[in-house]
Amino acid sequence: MKFLQNFGEYILFLKAVFTKPEKLKIFRQQIITESYNIGNSSYGIIALISTFIGAVSTIQIGYQFEGSLLPDYLIGRIVRDSNILEFAPTITALVLGGKVGSSIASEIGTMKVTEQIDALEIMGINAASHTSFAKIIGGVITIPMLVLYAMILSLVGGAVSGWLSGIISVEGFVKGLRTGFVGYNVVFAMTKAYTFSFIITSISAFQGFRTVGGALEVGESSTNAVVYSCIGIIFFDFILSQLMLF
Amino acid sequence: MIIVENVNKTFGNKHVLKDFSAKFYKGKCNFIIGASGGGKSVLMKCMVGLITPETGSITFDDRDFLKLNYKEKINVRKDIGMLFQNTALFDSLSVEENVAFPLRMFTTFTEEEISDRVNFCLSRVNLINLNKFAPSNISGGQKKRVGIARAIALNPKYLFCDEPNSGLDPLTSRLIDELIKDITIEYQITTIINTHDMKSLFVMGDNIVFIHQGNKWWEGEKEGIRSSENNELLAFMEASEF
Ligand SMILES: Nc1ncnc2c1ncn2[C@@H]1O[C@H](COP(=O)(O)OP(=O)(O)OP(=O)(O)O)[C@@H](O)[C@H]1O
Ligand SMILES: [Mg+2]
């Protein structure tokens, strides 16, 4: 019951957000700023995480191949598919759900409790749209780019760790990468990335916007934003996998 | 002129505004006074449309606010300036960008015109050389003044000030009072001030509304206060005497 009510409020919030901005020039500027902020604050951590996830997946798959009769280069193929299909989009989204989600929720939540949202409303500005629209668009532009970048780095990380640990040569790994490549997998991964980025930014903006109270509640909203974003990501990961892979 | 008629507002089972009616005049400093928790802020929020009352009407010079559609409401709001109790400055923007904000949103001014208007408003509130500062790096009194500058940027017809000088030293309080009084007269604004500060009431009050537990308990000019026979009002005045 509570869930349905919240979901209804979320839909009404989105309806308020997706209205024509007051001034397109300002809106464009906001989108550029938001995209830049998300990308600039996250590319480092995403690089670190995806490279290591790629590296670890090579080692773990190599470990499972040990003593088997399967050809080595298949390691490259499995690393590629698991990183493109699952690790790069989903882990990137979960990390950004924490990082971007909490920052969006606390920024908007603080504006709410310090009456900045009221100040916007009194000026005759649609505050939901003014505070959230550009953030959502910025996220939907930038987060999929970060996912793509995570995919590439995870494969690089996989190749390097295979080579350093002596599990598989770089040539072997690359051969694996090139066998049985299915372009559709990338389409699937990017569909996930777009879905997740919308989930993260819209849920977090909503959580921030409905904050009532003071600093304590801003903290709560920010935690909720992360929790609900992550639940949304996992849930849609499952749904999209069901829908698109079988 | 703003006319509030028969406004009722309840929160849960708490009846905050009880059939409240009052008039607020153009070119005058209209004061709302009363004990803490009496409903002053709720009344003000009803008037600017942040809270919708259950019954009643609020009329801005013939525009019955609660009956307007969304677009028409926005047009009324463009005529409203508000100074919030805690200023509500946009903390992601500098002082000058805060004042420029309504201009950027609602006018077709060029950068140069915006900058002129911003500097004019800031000098009007005696703030110079703080243009590039962030709101977090200026003092409370300076924030209030930026809040006023932002509120008057679009030449409002109605100016709402929620406790404009709470938390300020007496000298700065008087400066802010004078400032509000001057712009009210100069631009013939309908100004509504919600305060506990009896000193500012006696310095600049033109029309006074006394709220007691959500009721309008007394209304009149400041000269009438001392001669009134309203016990709650007299007790309220007496408590602030020193
Ligand atoms: N959003 C709300 N939900 C429930 N009750 C509220 C809400 N806003 C105000 N109230 C109640 O309405 C009453 C009047 O509050 P209001 O803020 O108008 O007082 P006030 O006269 O402005 O007091 P002060 O001088 O201390 O600012 C209080 O009892 C308060 O608890
Ligand atoms: Mg109050």
Side-chain angles (χ1 to χ4, degrees), chain B residues 11 14 16 34-42 85 163 194 196:
Chain B
F11 290 105
K14 198 182 216 166
V16 177
S36 193
K40 301 185 296 294
S41 296
V42 171
Q85 184 162 358
E163 316 220 358
N194 170 346
H196 295 287

Side-chain angles (χ1 to χ4, degrees), chain A residues 54-89:
Chain A
V56 169
S57 44
T58 299
I59 295 173
Q60 296 203 348
I61 290 161
Y63 169 72
Q64 295 178 54
F65 266 50
E66 214 176 37
S68 82
L69 297 171
L70 294 167
D72 259 2
Y73 72 86
L74 283 182
I75 295 175
R77 181 176 172 170
I78 297 176
V79 168
R80 177 197 72 205
D81 286 345
S82 44
N83 276 286
I84 289 182
L85 287 173
E86 184 64 15
F87 294 153

